Amino acid sequence: MVTILDVARMAGVSKATVSRALSGKVFVREEVKARILQAVADTGYRPNQLARNLANNKTNSIGLVITNGLYNGPFFSSMVYQAATRSEGHSRQLVLADGKHSAQDERDAIGLLLELRCEAIMIYPKYLSVSELDDIIDGNQTPIVVINRELIRNRNRCVFTDHRRSSEEMVEHLLAQGHTRIAFVAGVCGSPTGERRLRGYRDALRKAGISPDPQLVVRGAWSTESGYEAGRQLLALNVPFTCVLAANDDMAIGLAKAFQDAGKTVPGEISLAGFDDSVIGKYYTPSLTTIHVPMDEMIRDAVEIVLHPDEKTVFSHQGTLVSRESVARRVNAE
């Protein structure tokens, strides 16, 4: 591998002179600089940009922490794409760190990005609690913003949406279509987003005077495969239901396949709805009724917060109901 010493030898100067010439911050005579640039071209030398940035205490990079359990799916692929393009728009490089499988893993990922001297860090947490996230922000000078979680002490360092209210709005829509026996496929236990969506489902039913049937709530794992298994489980219960609300679109697509394999028509016999408004739901047949989560706007705001950490604005967003073909009105609704 070509080193700076090789360039110095070819140009007939010291390593320090090469470093000064390439930094552009210290005057070097034009004829000397020309020899150095020619030596760089002849040797193919590439400066270690990370080392240079660390020495200058500036990396022009924004870190993003996401647990790897969330990588597999179009919704989170879109989120990472938005984070990368938004960062690029501000002439920053996105650095992705894996939060893996625990709160400690998420702390370690944050620590890695701090060691790399990222200019700022965004966190899409799964395991760290609100109080732990507040402590991390309070304990670091590097700007840190939390995505999809409402903080208590650092409300201007988070971007969030009201998942419980969005879930209520969806159930109210399904009730208005005549569905009173609505099943729910929840995400994995402990997911803050999933638990809020489950709570909204139950709250909306109670407001309508309907006692939630615990038999109609089954657990998935956010994946299409787990949605398929949840659909088989619901059908095996032999408990009546006319509609299913899945806690995300991926599981809703799996449910649709399970129902179709069992000879059930969607939405003729079973209506179906989801959350997130992923691209696949829009083009699936039947197209999926869902809640649009404004992730593009949330990522946009997160980047703005970490680049302007002294702003006191609180960024709260609302989901939007998207009505499509997968929900039909019950013809014989009372």
Side-chain angles (χ1 to χ4, degrees), residues 5 9 16 42 63 101 116 125 165 169 253 269 293 323 332:
L5 181 58
R9 287 170 177 166
D42 292 343
H101 312 297
L116 292 175
R165 178 59 199 136
E169 183 180 359
I253 299 300
E269 295 175 85
V293 176
S323 179
N332 297 321

Side-chain angles (χ1 to χ4, degrees), residues 174-242:
L174 300 176
L175 290 168
Q177 305 310 305
H179 298 281
T180 57
R181 296 288 295 174
I182 304 170
F184 189 86
V185 177
V188 294
C189 287
S191 163
T193 296
E195 294 308 312
R196 283 174 173 77
R197 289 174 178 176
L198 176 57
R199 179 182 169 189
Y201 157 80
R202 288 170 170 159
D203 288 349
L205 290 179
R206 291 190 182 102
K207 286 181 181 179
I210 301 171
S211 297
D213 185 346
Q215 294 184 91
L216 291 181
V217 177
V218 298
R219 288 277 177 184
W222 300 117
S223 66
T224 304
E225 295 82 0
S226 71
Y228 184 84
E229 292 304 319
R232 290 171 52 120
Q233 184 179 343
L234 283 170
L235 292 172
L237 292 174
N238 290 319
V239 176
F241 61 90
T242 63

